[in-house]
Every structure is written in structure tokens, then in C-alpha cells.
Amino acid sequence: MTVTLYALPASHPCATVARALALKDIAYERVDLLPVLHRVQQQRRFGAQTVPGLEIGSERIVGSREILRRLERMVPEPALYPADAGARAEVERAERWGDQVLQAIARRAAWACLSRRPAALTSYVGEARLPLPVPLIGLGARPTAMISARLNHASEGNVRADLAHLGRHLDRIERWMDRGVLGGATPNAADLQIGAGLRLLLTLGDYAAIVDGRPAADLARAQFPEHAGHVPAGALPAEWLPSVPS
Ligand SMILES: N[C@@H](CCC(=O)N[C@@H](CS)C(=O)NCC(=O)O)C(=O)O
């Protein structure tokens, strides 16, 4: 059966699904779309505007959490959800937080930085095969980043609030690590969801200054050692950044 992942380069929920496919050793094709335009293409194909979307034969599934559950049914081992009901509920809670809270923070962070440093956008293309050559993507980088920042609500107020709370979010992740909900011997769905969001933040110099060196950063790098893209520190105004304890 043909499996096709519809994705955006450097999209963190797409990285979550790609890692799950790799862990379960499911062969698939990846189709990378162009940001902004992907909304229309996804709406047409999946009836929803977001990536990731997965086709399994004629079946279409959209949403990283829905896709991971489908993959778990398709190939049960290695399991991404614990067999024990209590442990599974904890992993699902962390996974949901990674999707509903951290995902949006990382998205706002990336577009806030890229809209101020659009030349960095092409660094996120990495190995992706896009329908346009990279120099053309570079030409469209500024409007793409500006529109995406708007669509993803990467306003000054939201981004500053995210930055002010980031330390507490990392504390929460590390409490889950201490309790073994995250960072166990074998990766679970929450490791993949939260790790991908953190890994995207680590490509942004202004955020890496806060995240790097913390156990949460190790969690991200363990699941996602490589990640295309970099926006050097200094993209965001210095007064937005919380002071990091030395
Ligand atoms: N929480 C959902 C949503 C994913 C999502 O919002 N994906 C972004 C890319 S990372 C997207 O396609 N957003 C629409 C846009 O930015 O135009 C999931 O995990 O699948």
C-alpha cells in the first residue's frame, strides 16, 4: 500500500510524523509543499488547511496526533503509546500539550524570527524537494514570512508572552522527564510531539539561548539530531528576551 506524507519543510508536526514512520519502519513518499499555498492544496486534498496529512492507499488522515494513532494501529511495534492505561493517559496528556500549546509557540517563534530575517528562510529547505528552485523561494521569502507571521498570530504581544513563559514551559517538560513520561528508553508519541517543537526552537538563535543546555534540549536532540535551518540570534529585539540565569 502506498503511503504519502504531505508536509512543509521544517514543519515540526511533520517531523513528528516522519520520525514515527521511521521508527515503525514504514516506507513512504514525502511531498513537500510551499508555505501559504499549502493551505489551498491541503484543503483540496484533505479538507483541512494544515500539514501533516497522510495518505495510506485511498485513506486520508490529517493531524499529527490522528496520524500517529493510525500508524500505531497499522504497525503496533515499536509502540508509541504505553500498554498500561495510566501510563498511556499521561503520555497522551503530554502529547496533547505538545500539540495544542508548544506547537503554536514554536510556530509563532519561527515566523516572528523569519519575518525579521527573511534571508534565513531558504536555510530551512534542507533536503526538501520543492516545486520551485531555491533562488525563487528566496525571492518570495519576505512576503511568505510576513503573511505566515500574520496567519500564525506571531504578533509582538503573543511572542513576548511566549518568551516570558518559556522557562516555565521547559520546567513542565523537565518534570515530565523526571517522572519518566518523557525521555524513556524507547520514544513515545509525546517525545516526538514535544521533541519536534523544541528542536525547531533550537534552530532560532534567540530561543536556543534559552533552551540549549537544559535537559529539554537533550530530549529534542535525541529524537531529532539533525534539523535544517538557522536564524542567528538577534532577530528579535533584545528587550523581548527574558534574562537567562548565567
Ligand atoms: N496541530 C495540528 C496542526 C498542524 C499545523 O497547524 N500545521 C501548520 C504547519 S507547522 C500548518 O499547516 N499551518 C497552516 C499555515 O501555517 O498556513 C497537527 O499537529 O497536525
Side-chain angles (χ1 to χ4, degrees):
M1 187 142 19
T2 310
V3 178
T4 310
L5 170 62
Y6 290 83
L8 280 183
S11 153
H12 41 323
C14 297
T16 299
V17 170
R19 180 84 180 115
L21 286 160
L23 285 167
K24 289 184 177 291
D25 204 13
I26 300 172
Y28 69 100
E29 283 178 38
R30 177 173 171 135
V31 176
D32 275 293
L33 307 170
L34 292 169
V36 183
L37 289 180
H38 80 281
R39 290 186 162 224
V40 181
Q41 291 169 294
Q42 286 295 94
Q43 181 67 48
R44 220 180 280 149
R45 190 178 296 271
F46 288 95
Q49 296 189 349
T50 56
V51 291
L54 195 76
E55 273 181 356
I56 305 173
S58 59
E59 182 185 352
R60 290 177 176 170
I61 313 144
V62 72
S64 56
R65 281 189 290 150
E66 291 76 5
I67 294 171
L68 258 60
R69 278 159 184 72
R70 180 66 184 89
L71 296 179
E72 188 83 342
R73 288 200 303 278
M74 186 173 163
V75 178
E77 296 295 334
L80 295 173
Y81 299 90
D84 173 80
R88 178 170 179 136
E90 293 218 79
V91 166
E92 287 187 329
R93 186 161 162 256
E95 182 197 28
R96 191 162 53 245
W97 180 87
D99 179 342
Q100 295 178 344
V101 180
L102 184 66
Q103 234 189 54
I105 293 172
R107 211 173 277 124
R108 287 190 289 267
W111 290 120
C113 292
L114 285 167
S115 59
R116 288 167 178 79
R117 296 285 185 272
L121 187 129
T122 52
S123 71
Y124 285 84
V125 172
E127 312 268 282
R129 280 182 297 155
L130 287 166
L132 283 181
V134 172
L136 264 188
I137 291 168
L139 286 179
R142 184 175 295 275
T144 300
M146 301 302 290
I147 295 169
S148 297
R150 238 190 142 74
L151 290 173
N152 288 289
H153 311 287
S155 63
E156 174 177 347
N158 286 343
V159 172
R160 291 185 81 159
D162 291 341
L163 281 161
H165 292 110
L166 187 54
R168 279 196 286 277
H169 292 315
L170 296 172
D171 292 343
R172 172 194 290 264
I173 291 167
E174 288 163 6
R175 280 197 300 275
W176 274 322
M177 292 173 76
D178 290 343
R179 289 181 28 230
V181 178
L182 296 175
T186 56
N188 63 40
D191 289 313
L192 303 191
Q193 185 69 248
I194 292 175
L198 290 170
R199 190 66 185 86
L200 179 58
L201 288 180
L202 285 166
T203 69
L204 309 167
D206 290 323
Y207 289 78
I210 303 165
V211 180
D212 234 342
R214 293 198 49 155
D218 300 335
L219 177 89
R221 288 211 167 84
Q223 293 312 316
F224 304 94
E226 307 293 337
H227 196 298
H230 179 56
V231 184
L236 300 181
E239 65 271 20
W240 292 19
L241 305 175
S243 48
V244 181
S246 51

